[in-house]
Amino acid sequence: MADYTLSLAHLYGDLMNTYGDYGNIIALRYYAKQIGVTVDDQLVSLGDTFDPKAYDFALFGGGQDYEETIVAHDLVGKKEALKEYIENDGPLLAVCGGYQLLGHYMEMADGTKVDGIGVMDHYTTNMTDASVTVDKGVRLTGNIEIKNNETGEIYHGFENHQGRTFLGKGEKSLGTVVYGKGNNGMDKTEGVIYHNVFGTYFHGPILTRNGNLAKRLLATALERKYPEVNWSDKLAQVQAESF
Amino acid sequence: MSLKSQLAKFTAQSSHFILHDILKRGGTSLPGKLAVAIDPDILSALSADFDLVVVTGTNGKTLTTALTTRILRAGGYTVITNPSGSNMVQGIAGTLLTTKVKPSPNGKKPVAVLEVDEANVFSLAKAIQPKYFVLTNIFRDQMDRYGEIYTTYQKIVDGIQVAPDAKVITNADSPIFARGDFKNQRLYYGFDNVKTEDYQDLKAPNNTDGILSPTDNSVLHYNFITYANLGKYFSVTDGFKRPELNTAVTKVSELTPKFSRFSIDGQPLRIEIGGLYNIYNALAAYAVGKAFDVSPAEMKAAFEENKQIFGRQESLKIGNKDLTILLIKNPVGTNTVIDMMETEKEPFTLITMLNANYADGIDTSWIWDAEFERLHDSKLQAVMTGGERYKDITVRLKMADFTIQETFPKTEEIIQAIEKAPTDKVYLAATYTAMLQVRAVLREKGYIKEEF
Ligand SMILES: [Zn+2]
């Protein structure tokens, strides 16, 4: 079998990995292996440089509020590189805190405002913000199901967040809420799609429970790196886990 | 004691008598409720009768409490303690009120050793001034309920702050315990079983929290790691490092699934339970014993006296199968169970059962932070799955590259599952409510008798 490799950057994997986000890498590797692709994951953390040309995939998970403030500070130094990666259609999965920090800002439960790097146009208020009219003051916790508006695919997960995210210009949602709360509990959107960035509040982790999405992200990354191969055909043979 | 307190105590004792002795049910919560309702100050009125030791943290509270109790008794103290599970303030009140405190054989003040949930430390410490706080560890645990580790630790600190005279016996190997704004004296316990020339420069694995230095939030390095984020840590940016130890594991001689041999402060010891993490519980209890002047020989005798205290981990015979039931509930706890299975010398089968009820934690994402992959290096021969969330755990193990022999969504079929194991040794790792369901089936079929 030919040697195909995806280089994956696990952004702040030592600090932003609160709800099994690493599982997304396990899922990618599981499907990749079945089509002869190796996934190499590398930790990119505090003080490290992120080389936008060196990676074929990036995972940016969620963390505790405390770690998130430390990461937000360090992230400023990686802003231009991440912007370049994203604008060049680099595939990136951002979960919870990682999703929030790619936007303009996020507010923690205690009201502290933490600046994101604004490479995407969404922003996140906290659960007690004046703009919050539904489920004000409570965490949005529980099982959730959404439907992707373009593919009609259904995604399952577990959400657990106090922050309320509102999408900006040029951002599409990952899906429309079938049941559960989603980005903010108010506008029925959950997650984001911008270029090849997929943001979500889903834990689960999302790629372990939604094999269709894992295969889609894998195809995106592989077609970008190895356009000569028909990846869709190969992936069509792989059975997707979904529960 | 005021008349009101006496009435409250009498009410508690008589309701305990009715519940416990007449109705034959272990009632510690109701008497406490009744007494606290009559006199909210009842606990502080009682505190003149004994020295209070509060044991708290994420994992290991129950065993640490049991071992501490045994050690202090071996040292001639009268000890009252709370049964595991009843560590809410009401239950504790019930325990203290319904226990007759006899004078200590050694002539010293009796001791109450209480297992207390992190969230209840403050209210208990406010009611009764503890003499010692014993901190085991802080790990992520069912975060849909308990919140982040720093929030959890702050709850303990809030309790310590209302008891400025209490000493804090704390796990030096856990960096989070280097934090906390309190002036109480700290007594440190930890591992010192690695020779200086064998020190390495390590970082904690990705799936552990609490790895930032309290001085400047840099990622901590380690000379050695015992498990998770525990070990001899140091900062590369400043001089911050693990504090000097007052009580240390100086040697680890043998680790098996059923027992461990090790030395504390040079004293060889043995406990009848596997798992390196349980040595931490023995170490914490030993540190408390030292604080109460119990001799090393008395402590050694206390460890070896009775196997029954090593509760949770339970071994049974099911036909010709040698079954061990293990509780799993969070990533670190599960990884320590995996560590223990790695010390198994005989081929074994693993049945993993996952539920996601309130008591288990309703978010199952933690299973992805448990390193099941490591079991490829063990004597594991076959894997089966079950529980209400069997789909989650089946996919988890499948993605860890295991072939799932069979899945049993119905707990009633657990006996068949055990019988189908290709090995004599069977490990059953289950979340809390799944374990209760398994036990109910085993009890119904007569394999176990006692209540859990
Ligand atoms: Zn979250």
Side-chain angles (χ1 to χ4, degrees):
Chain A
M1 214 177 273
D3 279 342
Y4 298 106
T5 304
L6 288 179
S7 294
L8 184 152
H10 193 184
L11 297 168
Y12 306 98
D14 50 351
L15 299 169
M16 303 284 278
N17 184 42
T18 298
Y19 298 95
D21 296 323
Y22 185 78
N24 290 304
I25 299 178
I26 299 176
L28 278 180
R29 186 170 283 140
Y30 172 79
Y31 293 114
K33 192 180 166 188
Q34 295 179 55
I35 51 168
V37 176
T38 310
V39 175
D40 257 351
D41 67 301
Q42 253 179 23
L43 176 66
V44 178
S45 190
L46 301 180
D48 299 338
T49 10
F50 173 77
D51 177 356
K53 299 202 169 58
Y55 298 103
D56 313 306
F57 197 95
L59 170 68
F60 192 1
Q64 308 187 81
D65 279 357
Y66 186 85
E67 276 84 0
E68 202 164 325
T69 55
I70 310 295
V71 165
H73 189 76
D74 183 85
L75 195 59
V76 177
K78 298 181 177 66
K79 174 180 171 170
E80 291 312 318
L82 274 167
K83 193 182 166 78
E84 184 188 328
Y85 179 79
I86 291 169
E87 294 301 320
N88 282 318
D89 295 329
L92 193 161
L93 174 64
V95 185
C96 208
Y99 166 31
Q100 294 169 350
L101 288 178
L102 293 175
H104 294 294
Y105 64 89
M106 55 93 46
E107 277 173 3
M108 302 197 303
D110 67 4
T112 311
K113 193 170 166 180
V114 177
D115 282 336
I117 50 171
V119 295
M120 289 168 68
D121 203 26
H122 54 275
Y123 63 94
T124 304
T125 67
N126 76 0
M127 62 189 176
T128 51
D129 190 83
S131 67
V132 174
T133 54
V134 179
D135 295 310
K136 199 184 179 91
V138 293
R139 287 184 78 86
L140 303 180
T141 303
N143 292 315
I144 176 167
E145 184 183 305
I146 63 171
K147 185 177 181 179
N148 182 279
N149 301 323
E150 274 153 36
T151 62
E153 286 178 342
I154 296 286
Y155 305 136
H156 296 105
F158 183 90
E159 60 182 329
N160 182 5
H161 55 111
Q162 72 82 22
R164 309 297 156 100
T165 297
F166 297 88
L167 299 180
K169 282 201 206 80
E171 293 187 321
K172 284 182 287 185
S173 70
L174 176 61
T176 299
V177 173
V178 178
Y179 64 81
K181 302 297 181 181
N183 281 331
N184 48 53
M186 288 150 56
D187 64 15
K188 290 275 170 200
T189 66
E190 148 54 34
V192 70
I193 299 178
Y194 173 75
H195 285 270
N196 284 329
V197 180
F198 293 73
T200 182
Y201 273 114
F202 276 34
H203 301 299
I206 190 166
L207 299 188
T208 66
R209 295 190 58 182
N210 303 283
N212 43 10
L213 184 61
K215 282 166 62 174
R216 177 173 168 186
L217 293 194
L218 205 52
T220 306
L222 286 165
E223 277 158 15
R224 184 166 170 265
K225 186 169 187 184
Y226 303 107
E228 68 282 6
V229 182
N230 188 337
W231 294 105
S232 307
D233 271 8
K234 285 185 185 260
L235 279 163
Q237 312 301 314
V238 175
Q239 197 206 324
E241 297 292 343
S242 174
F243 60 94
Chain B
M1 193 177 275
S2 69
L3 189 64
K4 204 166 139 195
S5 294
Q6 279 178 19
L7 174 65
K9 187 170 181 175
F10 174 77
T11 306
Q13 283 175 344
S14 45
S15 69
H16 180 258
F17 172 74
I18 291 166
L19 282 173
H20 193 262
D21 298 341
I22 300 181
L23 299 176
K24 299 274 183 246
R25 22 192 288 225
T28 46
S29 171
L30 180 63
K33 273 185 199 147
L34 292 174
V36 174
I38 294 168
D39 179 4
D41 293 330
I42 181 70
L43 288 173
S44 87
L46 279 172
S47 63
D49 297 348
F50 46 75
D51 285 332
L52 174 61
V53 177
V54 165
V55 180
T56 192
T58 309
N59 293 336
K61 288 189 286 282
T62 304
L63 186 56
T64 302
T65 302
L67 284 172
T68 303
T69 299
R70 190 159 290 273
I71 282 175
L72 293 176
R73 281 182 182 148
Y77 289 89
T78 292
V79 183
I80 38 178
T81 187
N82 54 335
S84 125
S86 72
N87 61 17
M88 302 298 174
V89 174
Q90 309 282 11
I92 287 164
T95 299
L96 299 183
L97 287 159
T98 54
T99 312
K100 284 214 175 63
V101 186
K102 294 196 192 95
S104 293
N106 65 6
K108 295 183 187 166
K109 204 170 172 184
V111 186
V113 183
L114 301 179
E115 171 186 343
V116 183
D117 254 1
E118 299 91 306
N120 296 318
V121 172
F122 174 75
S123 49
L124 182 70
K126 226 174 106 186
I128 316 178
Q129 286 280 306
K131 185 159 175 141
Y132 293 101
F133 290 93
V134 182
L135 314 186
T136 61
N137 50 56
I138 308 267
F139 294 122
R140 247 191 293 157
D141 186 28
Q142 303 170 17
M143 292 206 16
D144 50 292
R145 253 190 303 159
Y146 290 122
E148 309 191 339
I149 59 166
Y150 297 102
T151 320
T152 304
Y153 181 50
Q154 188 54 45
K155 286 178 183 158
I156 296 175
V157 170
D158 291 345
I160 294 172
Q161 282 169 338
V162 297
D165 296 329
K167 291 179 186 173
V168 182
I169 297 177
T170 180
N171 189 341
D173 293 353
S174 172
I176 195 170
F177 291 140
R179 295 170 183 258
D181 182 17
F182 54 86
K183 298 205 167 56
N184 306 50
Q185 190 191 341
R186 304 189 197 205
L187 296 169
Y188 291 103
Y189 64 85
F191 273 57
D192 237 345
N193 61 320
V194 178
K195 289 195 198 92
T196 318
E197 58 263 36
D198 295 332
Y199 282 180
Q200 293 171 276
D201 186 353
L202 305 167
K203 286 190 189 176
N206 278 357
N207 53 11
T208 50
D209 302 302
I211 53 161
L212 291 173
S213 169
T215 58
D216 62 357
N217 287 312
S218 58
V219 174
L220 288 168
H221 291 226
Y222 290 81
N223 291 131
F224 61 85
I225 292 172
T226 51
Y227 74 93
N229 64 350
L230 303 184
K232 190 168 191 301
Y233 58 78
F234 63 95
S235 165
V236 290
T237 57
D238 58 24
F240 177 75
K241 59 181 196 314
R242 185 184 75 170
E244 292 300 316
L245 305 179
N246 302 97
T247 308
V249 166
T250 45
K251 192 176 177 186
V252 175
S253 317
E254 192 179 5
L255 297 173
T256 81
K258 296 248 159 87
F259 68 89
S260 299
R261 293 194 306 115
F262 53 95
S263 299
I264 297 177
D265 296 348
Q267 163 83 49
L269 298 161
R270 176 184 163 123
I271 54 173
E272 300 307 315
I273 186 169
L276 186 77
Y277 56 102
N278 283 316
I279 299 180
Y280 271 102
N281 304 326
L283 178 62
Y286 198 95
V288 181
K290 259 167 77 172
F292 280 90
D293 290 322
V294 182
S295 74
E298 285 166 333
M299 292 203 265
K300 182 178 164 68
F303 282 147
E304 289 167 6
E305 195 180 318
N306 189 335
K307 294 183 180 186
Q308 289 314 111
I309 51 167
F310 301 100
R312 286 286 154 102
Q313 184 184 316
E314 191 173 22
S315 297
L316 306 166
K317 270 276 179 200
I318 308 287
N320 59 351
K321 303 295 182 195
D322 183 3
L323 175 71
T324 303
I325 302 177
L326 300 160
L327 179 68
I328 53 172
K329 58 171 184 164
N330 56 30
V332 169
T334 307
N335 284 340
T336 55
V337 160
I338 290 166
D339 283 341
M340 200 208 66
M341 287 191 268
E342 283 184 296
T343 66
E344 175 60 65
K345 291 184 188 74
E346 288 171 43
F348 66 94
T349 300
L350 172 65
I351 305 174
T352 309
M353 301 186 66
L354 181 71
N355 279 6
N357 296 309
Y358 181 76
D360 306 293
I362 58 172
D363 178 6
T364 60
S365 60
W366 64 269
I367 60 175
W368 295 91
D369 279 333
E371 297 169 274
F372 291 102
E373 285 79 1
R374 290 214 319 259
L375 287 168
H376 285 296
D377 300 328
S378 73
K379 297 269 184 188
L380 178 62
Q381 304 295 307
V383 176
M384 291 186 258
T385 53
E388 292 157 10
R389 295 293 292 263
Y390 64 91
K391 287 181 186 161
D392 299 58
I393 193 64
T394 301
V395 171
R396 172 68 190 97
L397 292 165
K398 210 165 148 182
M399 287 190 177
D401 237 346
F402 291 103
T403 307
I404 312 301
Q405 180 181 312
E406 203 168 335
T407 296
F408 295 86
K410 293 195 186 105
T411 309
E412 305 86 76
E413 296 170 6
I414 192 65
I415 309 279
Q416 289 95 298
I418 295 163
E419 283 166 351
K420 282 188 177 172
T423 59
D424 287 346
K425 274 228 155 69
V426 180
Y427 284 94
L428 192 156
T431 59
Y432 187 69
T433 67
M435 186 191 66
L436 293 185
Q437 291 162 359
V438 166
R439 288 188 56 94
V441 175
L442 294 180
R443 196 158 55 233
E444 192 190 316
K445 308 273 189 225
Y447 290 105
I448 43 177
K449 299 210 162 51
E450 80 283 15
E451 300 265 336
F452 182 65

